[in-house]
């Protein structure tokens, strides 16, 4: 879900700084990227810190706070913010990816709430399309710049007033791996774009807000 939002900026920055550096991309969910790292298929993975094992080194970059997505004409859309309790009786369009589903459902359960799942899909843009077509609301983390679905439906993003955790975004690689100069160049570029070489926590106050992850 983060690839189309974050990778264009990253690859552009790498091309400008290291024009001879060749980057081969492998897209996948958290489990697939973990397996590729530990199997030696890739050197680095840019991903959410969702259940990553201790065998991986995790370089914090930032955190993406969850938000609620509704159709632009939803009764709550004009308020700009909402509590999860106000939505619990409405159908949830769930991004049903490994680890992501547990994260989103856990946001409700930590408040003693149980959402009513109306539709499940692994497709980020289908989530947005179903919400725009009034099949329910969704919880997501990163925001595309355009508040519109592929078929032209208008959307609105609402802040969550509850105390909900950010989803850490990290760069990961195997603990026993010494980064090549090429991999270190990519790591340093990620830190320049989204983090700090002295970052200890992706939820620190001086970290970028989710709005800064919108594709520029």
């Amino acid at each position: 879900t983060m690839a189309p939002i974050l990778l264009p900026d990253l690859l552009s920055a790498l091309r400008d700084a290291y024009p001879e550096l060749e980057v081969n991309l492998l897209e996948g969910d958290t489990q697939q990227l973990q397996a590729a790292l530990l199997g030696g298929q890739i050197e680095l993975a840019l991903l959410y810190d969702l259940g990553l094992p201790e065998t991986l080194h995790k370089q914090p970059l930032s955190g993406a706070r969850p938000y609620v997505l509704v159709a632009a004409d939803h009764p709550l859309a004009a308020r700009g913010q909402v509590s999860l309790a106000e939505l619990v009786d409405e159908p949830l369009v769930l991004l049903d990816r490994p680890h992501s589903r547990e994260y989103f459902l856990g946001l409700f359960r930590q408040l003693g709430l149980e959402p009513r799942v109306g539709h499940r899909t692994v497709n980020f843009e289908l989530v947005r399309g179903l919400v725009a077509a009034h099949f329910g609301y969704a919880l997501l983390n990163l925001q595309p710049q355009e508040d519109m679905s592929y078929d032209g439906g208008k959307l609105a993003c609402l802040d969550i007033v509850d105390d909900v955790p950010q989803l850490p975004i990290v760069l990961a690689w195997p603990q026993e791996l010494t980064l090549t100069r090429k991999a270190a160049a990519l790591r340093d570029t990620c830190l320049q774009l989204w983090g700090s070489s002295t970052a200890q926590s992706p939820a620190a106050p001086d970290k970028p807000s989710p709005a800064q992850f919108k594709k520029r």
Side-chain angles (χ1 to χ4, degrees):
T1 57
M2 70 171 67
I5 298 175
L6 300 188
L7 285 188
D9 277 354
L10 174 58
L11 294 178
S12 294
L14 283 169
R15 180 182 58 195
D16 293 343
Y18 308 98
E20 296 183 1
L21 179 63
E22 180 180 342
V23 179
N24 296 312
L25 299 179
L26 174 67
E27 293 181 75
D29 60 33
T30 301
Q31 291 178 329
Q32 292 169 325
L33 294 179
Q34 282 185 54
L37 281 173
L38 298 175
Q41 294 173 267
I42 57 176
E43 289 185 82
L44 298 168
L46 178 65
L47 72 176
Y48 296 119
D49 186 4
L50 284 170
L52 296 181
E54 293 302 316
T55 51
L56 295 179
H57 175 82
K58 294 171 281 187
Q59 171 63 61
L61 295 177
S62 193
R65 182 176 166 82
Y67 65 93
V68 170
L69 187 72
V70 295
D73 58 355
H74 188 281
L76 297 174
R79 283 175 37 184
Q81 60 182 17
V82 67
S83 70
L84 295 183
E86 294 177 273
L87 297 166
V88 72
D89 293 327
E90 297 189 28
L92 167 65
V93 181
L94 179 65
L95 183 62
D96 194 20
R97 291 176 173 268
H99 297 292
S100 294
R101 71 177 74 92
E102 291 83 3
Y103 166 75
F104 289 124
L105 294 175
L107 296 178
F108 287 93
R109 290 168 181 167
Q110 70 178 9
L111 299 173
L113 304 171
E114 190 63 34
R116 180 165 66 89
V117 178
H119 289 281
R120 298 171 181 262
T121 175
V122 300
N123 188 304
F124 180 79
E125 281 301 331
L126 182 54
V127 169
R128 289 165 52 82
L130 290 173
V131 170
H134 304 95
F135 283 98
Y137 68 96
L139 269 63
L140 297 170
N141 290 90
L142 296 184
Q143 299 180 27
Q145 188 173 22
E146 296 296 329
D147 291 331
M148 186 174 292
S149 63
Y150 275 176
D151 63 352
K154 294 184 178 180
L155 297 159
C157 300
L158 307 181
D159 292 332
I160 299 173
V161 299
D162 306 288
D163 183 15
V164 291
Q166 294 191 23
L167 188 54
I169 296 173
V170 300
L171 195 66
W173 61 90
Q175 288 279 9
E176 71 277 8
L177 180 69
T178 299
L179 293 183
T180 64
R181 290 179 62 188
K182 296 177 181 180
L186 189 146
R187 176 204 59 197
D188 293 345
T189 303
C190 286
L191 288 168
Q192 290 169 9
L193 287 174
W194 307 307
S196 164
S197 59
T198 59
Q200 297 298 316
S201 168
D206 60 340
K207 290 299 177 187
S209 68
Q212 289 177 272
F213 284 113
K214 291 184 179 182
K215 183 177 180 294
R216 294 188 292 274

